[in-house]
Amino acid sequence: MTDNSAYRIEPRVPAIDDYMRLRLESGLTPFSREAAEKGLPNSIFGVCLMLGDETIGMGRVIGDGGCFFQVTDIAILPAHQGGGLAKLIMAALSDFIATLPKTAYVSLIADVPANRLYAQFGFDETAPRSVGMARRVI
């Protein structure tokens, strides 16, 4: 693990341009500006991973505010990946999750091998009892 002392977490939802850039450059499916402009203000909680004045990573919690929540948009620019920075993002999101109602259901869709990271923060695979499913609007 590298020295991460130059990085800091800011508890805020990323700006639209940063959000779109981080999703694209980190390899996540990009969204339209229209979708980002509509969705980001409805975030429950978000964090930005900063290096100086540059947003180089992010993570969000979305949901209905009481019963259901989802961890989403964990992204770090490729030049900064592999040094344990996703743990900083997940630790900040986990601190927020700890404040939710005790009966809240918090889920996420994990790409392999990121499922190992999420397991460190208390997330368990749900299969075979349940499986994640998705539908894209195209």
Side-chain angles (χ1 to χ4, degrees), residues 3-138:
D3 176 17
N4 293 333
S5 62
Y7 299 91
R8 72 182 185 285
I9 292 286
E10 290 186 0
R12 63 177 174 83
V13 174
I16 291 169
D17 288 337
D18 287 332
Y19 177 79
M20 294 179 67
R21 176 180 55 86
L22 287 167
R23 283 197 62 91
L24 179 66
E25 292 182 24
S26 69
L28 298 178
T29 304
F31 289 115
S32 68
R33 175 170 287 278
E34 176 188 15
E37 287 173 346
K38 186 170 186 171
L40 289 177
N42 294 311
S43 301
I44 301 290
F45 181 73
V47 296
C48 292
L49 179 63
M50 307 297 295
L51 181 60
D53 292 333
E54 183 183 8
T55 304
I56 60 100
M58 66 178 175
R60 290 192 310 143
V61 176
I62 61 174
D64 66 11
C67 298
F68 295 97
F69 300 86
Q70 185 176 33
V71 173
T72 189
D73 294 327
I74 306 297
I76 298 173
L77 292 178
H80 302 274
Q81 292 176 3
L85 294 171
K87 287 184 181 180
L88 296 177
I89 293 170
M90 281 305 299
L93 296 180
S94 289
D95 287 347
F96 173 77
I97 290 167
T99 70
L100 298 176
K102 297 304 176 204
T103 56
Y105 185 82
V106 184
S107 63
L108 58 80
I109 300 293
D111 293 333
V112 175
N115 58 317
R116 294 192 308 256
L117 166 68
Y118 303 131
Q120 295 174 39
F121 290 91
F123 288 87
D124 298 314
E125 293 185 20
T126 60
R129 187 177 137 246
S130 59
V131 294
M133 299 177 72
R135 177 181 170 183
R136 298 231 358 124
V137 178
I138 51 174

